[in-house]
Amino acid sequence: MPLQMKLGAITLDCPDPLALAAFYQQATGLERHPKSDADFAGLNREDGLLLGFQRVDDYRAPSWPDQTVPQQLHICFNVEDDLDEAEAQLLELGAGKPDHQPHDEAKARVLTDPAGHPFCMVKR
């Protein structure tokens, strides 16, 4: 019988956990974990998944698509709304948009969060 595991958390390294949690909270609407602090912050999803952010001294942001500093993590978010509108809102929140876009921009976009982690928005 195969081992039955359920994903409980995804944690991103960053220089400022509370700031990165605030970015993702505004982007996703997830609820901030009540024990979030300057060393570790989290966002709770209704099904129990925790999106966490932990402080790392001397953090180096990924240099995607160049691999001088690897991307470390890749997250994809499904977007029900207009991608242009979602992109504009995320850029206002502090996301960046790399020049390199490997997908058809009508279907997906790559942005970076304020700590430099690349993530995709995929039209669903």
Side-chain angles (χ1 to χ4, degrees):
M1 183 166 132
L3 180 63
Q4 296 295 312
M5 298 191 315
K6 180 179 176 185
L7 182 61
I10 298 169
T11 300
L12 288 75
D13 291 347
C14 63
D16 185 344
L18 292 172
L20 197 55
F23 169 81
Y24 279 104
Q25 182 178 24
Q26 292 176 42
T28 65
L30 295 175
E31 184 177 325
R32 190 167 121 183
H33 190 281
K35 293 184 179 179
S36 294
D37 62 31
D39 290 319
F40 187 90
L43 300 176
N44 296 318
R45 200 167 72 178
E46 289 179 8
D47 66 359
L49 181 67
L50 175 82
L51 183 56
F53 311 94
Q54 73 184 7
R55 176 180 301 286
V56 171
D57 293 331
D58 301 321
Y59 173 78
R60 291 178 48 207
S63 56
W64 186 89
D66 164 332
Q67 292 296 305
T68 304
V69 179
Q71 69 185 20
Q72 306 160 13
L73 178 75
H74 185 97
I75 302 173
C76 290
F77 293 95
N78 295 333
V79 176
E80 301 293 331
D81 302 321
D82 180 79
L83 281 177
D84 291 332
E85 183 178 319
E87 177 184 311
Q89 290 174 351
L90 289 164
L91 292 173
E92 281 184 29
L93 293 175
K97 184 176 181 184
D99 292 334
H100 178 69
Q101 292 292 315
H103 309 291
D104 173 354
E105 286 201 35
K107 296 180 183 177
R109 313 267 170 90
V110 176
L111 299 179
T112 55
D113 69 24
H117 303 104
F119 63 92
C120 290
M121 299 184 310
V122 180
K123 178 71 176 159
R124 293 285 179 206

